[in-house]
């Protein structure tokens, strides 16, 4: 009986994306009130990069696992639209940031749960880590959606915590 493990290798794009997520997380932990505008700009640019990454990596996931889904393309386009909106409407971005992040966290985390099965091909630990991170993302999204006023005050911390978890996930994936 020949049981082959999937071909494993180092993934530079996941490592770079993970490092970018962690840098954004660390930036969001500094001076939360004073950094709202900066967060809007950084997150806008980051959303565009992440959207492009989602679209680009979809084909790689299909090659490695055979899993075919249109959702990464849809999420990638939504990320790009959010990024452009934030970059060209900073004032509106600050006001709507809690709602944008709520929907972003929810959509991304739901997609992560829907595609978590493909993570099992790499390792059981990575699968469960992915599931936990995405459940936390859903909980953060629900919190932001239903508590927008308090969310503005804690947004930097919530965004930082979420991006830190996603950054760690991406770095782990890079070494799969």
């Amino acid at each position: 009986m020949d049981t082959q493990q999937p071909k494993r290798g180092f993934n530079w794009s996941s490592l770079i994306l993970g490092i970018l997520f962690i840098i954004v997380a660390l930036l969001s932990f500094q001076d939360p009130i004073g950094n709202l505008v900066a967060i809007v700009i950084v997150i806008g640019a980051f959303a565009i990069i992440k959207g492009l990454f989602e679209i680009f990596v979809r084909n790689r996931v299909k090659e490695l696992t055979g899993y075919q889904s249109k959702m990464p393309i849809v999420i990638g386009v939504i990320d790009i639209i959010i990024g452009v909106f934030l970059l060209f409407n900073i004032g509106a971005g600050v006001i709507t940031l809690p709602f944008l992040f709520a929907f972003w966290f929810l959509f991304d985390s739901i997609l992560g749960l829907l595609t978590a099965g493909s993570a099992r091909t790499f390792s059981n630990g990575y699968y469960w880590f992915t599931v936990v991170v995405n459940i936390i993302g859903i909980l953060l999204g629900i919190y932001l959606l239903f508590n927008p006023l308090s969310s503005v005050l804690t947004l930097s911390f919530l965004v930082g915590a979420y991006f830190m978890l996603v950054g760690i996930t991406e770095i782990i994936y890079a070494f799969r």
Side-chain angles (χ1 to χ4, degrees):
M1 180 155 132
D2 184 17
T3 58
Q4 274 187 308
Q5 291 287 340
K7 185 177 178 186
R8 296 174 186 237
F10 188 76
N11 187 328
W12 280 101
S13 58
S14 288
L15 178 67
I16 292 167
L17 188 62
I19 291 169
L20 287 174
F21 265 113
I22 289 173
I23 289 170
V24 171
L26 295 173
L27 288 173
S28 69
F29 288 141
Q30 298 176 355
D31 188 22
I33 302 298
N35 285 329
L36 279 177
V37 171
I39 288 172
V40 170
I41 293 169
V42 169
I43 299 306
F46 189 71
I48 293 170
I49 293 168
K50 184 179 178 304
L52 293 172
F53 180 78
E54 287 280 344
I55 292 168
F56 175 76
V57 97
R58 180 223 180 240
N59 288 333
R60 182 78 173 136
V61 168
K62 181 181 170 187
E63 288 173 14
L64 291 173
T65 65
Y67 183 77
Q68 297 181 31
S69 174
K70 303 269 188 258
M71 284 304 291
I73 293 172
V74 172
I75 295 298
V77 169
I78 290 171
D79 285 346
I80 292 169
I81 291 169
I82 288 171
V84 169
F85 173 80
L86 290 174
L87 287 178
F88 291 101
N89 300 292
I90 293 176
V94 169
I95 293 169
T96 60
L97 206 54
F99 299 106
L100 289 173
F101 272 101
F103 287 115
W104 188 6
F105 285 10
L106 287 169
F107 288 138
D108 252 12
S109 298
I110 290 168
L111 172 67
L113 285 177
L114 291 174
T115 60
S118 65
R120 205 179 283 259
T121 62
F122 300 113
S123 78
N124 225 17
Y126 180 67
Y127 167 76
W128 284 109
F129 184 76
T130 301
V131 168
V132 169
V133 166
N134 286 301
I135 289 172
I136 290 170
I138 290 171
L139 294 174
L140 287 174
I142 291 169
Y143 176 78
L144 288 172
L145 190 60
F146 291 108
N147 298 301
L149 185 57
S150 64
S151 296
V152 170
L153 301 176
T154 59
L155 187 61
S156 291
F157 176 75
L158 290 174
V159 169
Y162 178 76
F163 282 167
M164 185 67 71
L165 288 172
V166 172
I168 291 167
T169 302
E170 288 295 328
I171 291 171
I172 291 170
Y173 179 74
F175 291 96
R176 61 181 162 83

